Amino acid sequence: MTNDKSTIIRLENIFKVYGSRETEVKALNDVNLTIHEGEYCSIMGPSGSGKSTAMNIIGCLDRPTSGHYYLDNLDVAQIDDQALAHIRNKKLGFVFQQFHLLAQLTALENVMLPMAYANVNPTERRDRATEALIRVGLEKRLNNKPNQLSGGQQQRVAIARAIVNRPVVLLADEPTGALDSRTTQEVLDIFSELNASGITVVMVTHEPEVARQTQRIVWFRDGEVIHSHMTPNDLTHLAV
Ligand SMILES: Nc1ncnc2c1ncn2[C@@H]1O[C@H](COP(=O)(O)OP(=O)(O)O)[C@@H](O)[C@H]1O
Ligand SMILES: [Mg+2]
């Protein structure tokens, strides 16, 4: 963690409502949350408590029904879709439970993909993708397609893809949900290293053993943040 404690993510009075009158679901109900640059946070809470909805808003993949979201001090609720896509590509990296790699592309090609939108020349794309894959320990797998890789290796390709544009924040929604405990640890070790190098990491997990390896735990229930600053030690005293 860096010493710089400037705010990178700030959610202010965020509401998210799905559906209309009869079918209305309040997925987020007045969420306030501040995350500083360099933090390593996990988001926990029961199924349906709004964790993914919050992550999708933080990741600029979805917009809140009301409220303000400041990403690096910019109110992203106020900007148009094109500007939002640009900011997402520049500042954020994503990792999902199901990897979301393109099956017909090699590991290297999958990792080069985000740079297609970032005005990077082909040689530099290849170099940076290779560097990212080395960083996650896959230098021997550059030309393998996803079906020639284990689940843990596929998730590491997805992490390389998420960091190749040098994001400020890495967002991960249940990144170890499809992995066994050994590969889970490999992924967590990579997250720790990335965080130590200065990247802010925010991860949703339902596994206490995973959350325990982060610095701060944010707890959701019924669309609300009920604890915003739990420590791994607090988890020990909670029946989870
Ligand atoms: N696209 C959607 N349309 C309607 N309801 C949704 C949608 N996405 C999520 N919800 C509802 O919003 C609530 C929060 O969901 P979610 O954020 O996925 O929870 P979690 O990730 O904590 O399991 C749930 O009641 C869920 O059913
Ligand atoms: Mg979810």
Side-chain angles (χ1 to χ4, degrees), residues 48 50-53 173-174 204:
K51 305 182 297 295
S52 291
T53 303
D173 194 347
E174 303 266 11
V204 170

Side-chain angles (χ1 to χ4, degrees), residues 20-92:
S20 53
R21 287 179 73 96
E22 300 85 50
T23 58
E24 188 176 287
V25 176
K26 269 197 185 136
L28 294 177
N29 189 18
D30 201 8
V31 165
N32 291 277
L33 182 65
T34 301
I35 295 174
H36 293 102
E37 220 174 325
E39 281 196 289
Y40 184 8
C41 286
S42 50
I43 295 181
M44 297 194 79
S47 178
S49 59
K51 305 182 297 295
S52 291
T53 303
M55 282 295 267
N56 290 343
I57 289 172
I58 292 171
C60 302
L61 298 168
D62 198 4
R63 292 174 184 270
T65 305
S66 65
H68 289 283
Y69 170 29
Y70 300 91
L71 173 61
D72 208 1
N73 295 311
L74 180 74
D75 187 351
V76 293
Q78 306 298 323
I79 64 178
D80 66 34
D81 287 350
Q82 202 188 341
L84 196 64
H86 179 71
I87 284 176
R88 188 165 61 219
N89 197 44
K90 205 169 130 195
K91 295 196 189 274
L92 306 172

Side-chain angles (χ1 to χ4, degrees), residues 31-174:
V31 165
N32 291 277
L33 182 65
T34 301
I35 295 174
H36 293 102
E37 220 174 325
E39 281 196 289
Y40 184 8
C41 286
S42 50
I43 295 181
M44 297 194 79
S47 178
S49 59
K51 305 182 297 295
S52 291
T53 303
M55 282 295 267
N56 290 343
I57 289 172
I58 292 171
C60 302
L61 298 168
D62 198 4
R63 292 174 184 270
T65 305
S66 65
H68 289 283
Y69 170 29
Y70 300 91
L71 173 61
D72 208 1
N73 295 311
L74 180 74
D75 187 351
V76 293
Q78 306 298 323
I79 64 178
D80 66 34
D81 287 350
Q82 202 188 341
L84 196 64
H86 179 71
I87 284 176
R88 188 165 61 219
N89 197 44
K90 205 169 130 195
K91 295 196 189 274
L92 306 172
F94 295 92
V95 180
F96 302 95
Q97 181 170 352
Q98 299 302 337
F99 324 136
H100 294 307
L101 300 175
L102 294 184
Q104 70 277 25
L105 300 184
T106 64
L108 188 66
E109 289 163 347
N110 266 286
V111 177
M112 286 169 70
L113 215 52
M115 287 180 286
Y117 315 103
N119 265 333
V120 184
N121 76 53
T123 313
E124 195 184 342
R125 269 187 228 168
R126 190 164 286 272
D127 289 350
R128 274 170 57 177
T130 305
E131 187 188 314
L133 283 160
I134 291 171
R135 211 164 162 188
V136 298
L138 289 178
E139 58 278 3
K140 297 206 174 87
R141 299 290 180 175
L142 303 183
N143 298 315
N144 285 100
K145 292 191 174 167
N147 67 5
Q148 301 169 316
L149 298 169
S150 69
Q153 289 169 333
Q154 289 182 59
Q155 192 60 303
R156 284 192 274 153
V157 174
I159 295 169
R161 181 184 56 187
I163 60 172
V164 78
N165 278 338
R166 300 167 184 151
V168 191
V169 183
L170 180 66
L171 300 169
D173 194 347
E174 303 266 11

